[in-house]
Each structure stands twice: as C-alpha cells, then as structure tokens.
Amino acid sequence: MQQRKGKYERVATEEHEDGEIRAEDERMAERERRKKIWVDRLNWMSVKAHASFWVVAASSVIYYTNFFRVIWEHPNVNYLFFRLGLMGLGINIAIIFYLSIYLPYIARVEEEWDIYCPRVIPVATVVGISNSICFSVALWPVWGWVTLIILAVLFMGLMMTAHFLPSGFLGTVLISAIFFGASYTVHIIPHEGLWHKNAI
C-alpha cells in the first residue's frame, strides 16, 4: 500500500508540474500575442508617418514651385519631350484603370494580373521609365538638376497617398481625382513659383 501511495504521489507531482508548464506556456503565448499587437501598431504608425512625410513633401513642392502653372506657361519647357511624357502618362493611366477597374469590376476576371495579362506590368514599367526621362528632359531648362528631386518627390507623394484611401474601385477613383485635381492648384497658389529659372 505504501508503494501505491508513493506512485500516486509521483503521478500527482507530475500532473502538477505539467500544469505549471502549461500555465507558463499560456503566459508566454499571451505575452507574445501582446507583443505582436504592439509591433503591428508600431509598424502601422511607422508606415503612416512615412506616407504622411511624402504627401506633405509633395504638397510643399507643388506650392513652393507652383508646379502646374510653371509646366504649362514657362517658355523654357521643352514641349516636344513634355508631350511625349504626357502620352506615356496617358498610357500608364489607361493601364491602371484596365487593371484596377475594368478587369475586376467589368470583365469580372478573378485571375492574377501576371497570369491573365503577363505583359502589362513590364509594358507599364518601361513606359514609366520613359516618362521620367521625357519629363526630366522637358523640365530641365526650368529647374535644372532640381528637376530630378521635384519629380521624385511628386511621384512618391502620389504613391503614398494610397495609404490614406480605401482599396478597390473607390480608392482608384479617388487617387485619380487627386491626381487631376492637383492641376487646379494654379488657381489657388498666390505666386508664380519661387524656384524656377527666369525665362530666356
């Protein structure tokens, strides 16, 4: 009987230790869950802060340079390359609407882009690079090497705007409205631009 009692005591001890291990595992899992929540929150805040920086920077550049008035009215703009850039920009806008609106909402295509139309993204990439070159050449006589910084900041600001817009059809429409609506800043900004070179 004494041996059986010792056996019961060992079983009870093992069950108690197993219970402590499980409790410790649960506490560790809870700590990991809370840690993950805070990491996710910090990452979200970091992304939003980063996006906000670029949006504010782009808005400041538009205001300081009165970008849209200058590109349309400044006599030093190389309008051959400017028109080529506009043509490429129109192609890319059409591609964006094709991928984000026509395929999912009109054609009801559920396949991934790289499967249904694998050549579209490479074409858009090539056109986008060509656009950047054309606009840089077109606006270089106006702002010089600063043109590269201006175009880069405006591009990043437009891309980062998507972080504050809903996804899907509505988001695409809103970012397009922001893109085209920015051109109306020429009627709001009270100066003719503070950074460009004087007309030759």
Side-chain angles (χ1 to χ4, degrees):
M1 297 296 291
Q2 185 67 30
Q3 184 178 358
R4 182 176 297 177
K5 181 179 179 182
K7 184 178 180 180
Y8 289 157
E9 290 176 349
R10 287 196 299 274
V11 171
T13 301
E14 291 175 356
E15 291 179 350
H16 178 69
E17 292 176 352
D18 290 342
E20 289 183 343
I21 293 173
R22 284 195 297 271
E24 181 64 23
D25 289 342
E26 291 176 356
R27 287 193 293 269
M28 291 181 64
E30 179 64 19
R31 284 198 296 269
E32 289 297 322
R33 187 184 69 82
R34 293 179 179 177
K35 179 181 177 181
K36 185 177 183 304
I37 291 175
W38 277 105
V39 169
D40 291 343
R41 288 176 179 174
L42 290 175
N43 287 337
W44 181 87
M45 293 173 62
S46 175
V47 169
K48 296 301 181 184
H50 184 255
S52 299
F53 167 80
W54 284 111
V55 171
V56 171
S59 301
S60 300
V61 166
I62 290 174
Y63 179 83
Y64 189 75
T65 62
N66 201 344
F67 181 80
F68 292 99
R69 169 172 287 182
V70 170
I71 65 175
W72 287 114
E73 298 180 0
H74 200 285
N76 290 357
V77 174
N78 187 325
Y79 281 103
L80 172 61
F81 283 94
F82 184 71
R83 291 186 181 96
L84 290 174
L86 288 179
M87 290 172 58
L89 182 62
I91 293 172
N92 267 353
I93 291 173
I95 290 175
I96 291 172
F97 272 87
Y98 175 74
L99 294 176
S100 59
I101 295 180
Y102 176 78
L103 289 184
Y105 297 104
I106 299 176
R108 301 293 181 181
V109 175
E110 297 181 355
E111 293 182 80
E112 295 293 332
W113 297 342
D114 55 351
I115 297 175
Y116 184 78
C117 46
R119 296 180 182 178
V120 171
I121 298 301
V123 168
T125 302
V126 172
V127 173
I129 294 173
S130 301
N131 288 348
S132 64
I133 295 174
C134 288
F135 283 128
S136 296
V137 173
L139 302 178
W140 191 276
V142 180
W143 287 294
W145 63 269
V146 182
T147 302
L148 303 178
I149 298 176
I150 292 173
L151 294 179
V153 171
L154 293 180
F155 173 78
M156 290 299 297
L158 180 63
M159 293 298 101
M160 292 300 169
T161 302
H163 285 280
F164 306 99
L165 301 176
S167 60
F169 176 82
L170 180 59
T172 302
V173 172
L174 288 176
I175 199 168
S176 301
I178 291 172
F179 176 76
F180 289 106
S183 62
Y184 287 95
T185 55
V186 298
H187 303 294
I188 301 173
I189 299 175
H191 56 77
E192 297 182 356
L194 305 174
W195 216 348
H196 58 271
K197 301 177 181 178
N198 293 328
I200 295 176

